[in-house]
Amino acid sequence: MNMSIDKNIRHLRKQAGWTQEELAQRLFVTRQTVSLWELGRARPDVETLEKIADCFQVELSQVLYGPEHRGDGLSRRLLIWGGASFGVGLIVNLFFVLMNWAFYRPEAYQTPMMVPFLGNLYLFLAMYGVPVLVVVSGIALGCVLLSVIRPKRTVLWAAAGLLALILPVGYVVALAMNIPYWVLIAWDLQPRPWLFFPAGFVIGLAGGAVWKRICSQK
């Protein structure tokens, strides 16, 4: 597999719409250094290659081998996200099915573990656990797709992430503190946990974009 790092850096820079000077400023190197990279007369070290990948918000493999390798890593991460989300969702749903089955059987309901432990776990998952898991799944998908969507204006995305954070945090606080009026809204949201997924997705994108910007400035 031929590594054309010079061509890959030039391609990524032009794709981002940056000049050599702009890329140099983001990496804290000189424009001449970037020019030498793109001419193939010098090669960045491993640490710098990682910074270049973070700067362009792509995988390191794209800097090393070209943009055609983006899909391999992305597909793998999507499979991991899908498998983990499906697996956790299946386990939680099976738990709810078994609990609902047991609630209609007095002999099961009166067992020592049913009310103090499993009953409380059932209520906790229904009220807090499922919405939080949906938010976490959305955050994970946002982080996975970060290299594809590549948010440009970090400040705007940070603001969007903070706004999206209001939904899950407000939901948990309203239920936990029993805040008048707001708790009614929270109870309306409780049977619709899928509404929390877009908020988690935006939080994941925003958090990833801010983190990459911070790392690129170190």
Side-chain angles (χ1 to χ4, degrees):
M1 191 176 296
N2 184 27
M3 289 192 299
S4 300
I5 296 176
D6 51 346
K7 295 179 181 178
N8 298 335
I9 294 175
R10 183 166 62 251
H11 172 79
L12 290 168
R13 177 179 62 80
K14 291 183 176 180
Q15 188 178 53
W18 298 341
T19 63
Q20 289 184 344
E21 183 66 31
E22 289 173 328
L23 177 58
Q25 291 175 357
R26 293 171 183 269
L27 295 172
F28 299 100
V29 298
T30 64
R31 187 198 64 78
Q32 289 77 10
T33 300
V34 175
S35 178
L36 289 174
W37 291 344
E38 294 188 356
L39 290 173
R41 297 177 182 174
R43 177 168 293 184
D45 57 27
V46 175
E47 182 179 355
T48 304
L49 286 170
E50 292 177 347
K51 289 182 178 180
I52 292 172
D54 288 337
C55 188
F56 289 120
Q57 298 184 0
V58 299
E59 299 176 8
L60 179 59
S61 61
Q62 292 186 62
V63 182
L64 294 174
Y65 306 115
E68 65 274 7
H69 288 266
R70 178 178 62 183
D72 296 337
L74 178 62
S75 299
R76 183 172 61 255
R77 292 199 302 272
L78 282 173
L79 285 174
I80 293 173
W81 167 82
S85 297
F86 178 79
V88 173
L90 181 62
I91 292 172
V92 172
N93 274 291
L94 286 175
F95 174 76
F96 282 140
V97 169
L98 291 175
M99 290 297 294
N100 289 330
W101 173 81
F103 281 148
Y104 289 97
R105 283 161 176 77
E107 67 277 7
Y109 188 79
Q110 294 173 3
T111 57
M113 286 187 60
M114 191 64 183
V115 175
F117 178 72
L118 295 179
N120 289 333
L121 179 60
Y122 179 92
L123 291 175
F124 177 82
L125 283 176
M127 293 175 62
Y128 302 106
V130 172
V132 169
L133 288 173
V134 172
V135 171
V136 170
S137 179
I139 291 174
L141 181 60
C143 293
V144 167
L145 296 179
L146 185 64
S147 62
V148 178
I149 299 177
R150 296 193 302 168
K152 297 293 184 181
R153 299 185 179 182
T154 308
V155 175
L156 294 180
W157 275 98
L162 290 175
L163 288 175
L165 194 61
I166 292 175
L167 179 61
V169 172
Y171 171 85
V172 172
V173 171
L175 285 180
M177 304 296 293
N178 199 24
I179 300 174
Y181 179 72
W182 292 106
V183 71
L184 298 177
I185 298 177
W187 275 111
D188 286 337
L189 289 173
Q190 188 268 330
R192 304 174 181 86
W194 54 269
L195 291 173
F196 293 89
F197 186 82
F201 181 72
V202 173
I203 294 169
L205 277 178
V210 171
W211 177 252
K212 284 184 175 292
R213 175 57 63 88
I214 293 173
C215 292
S216 66
Q217 293 177 350
K218 289 182 179 180

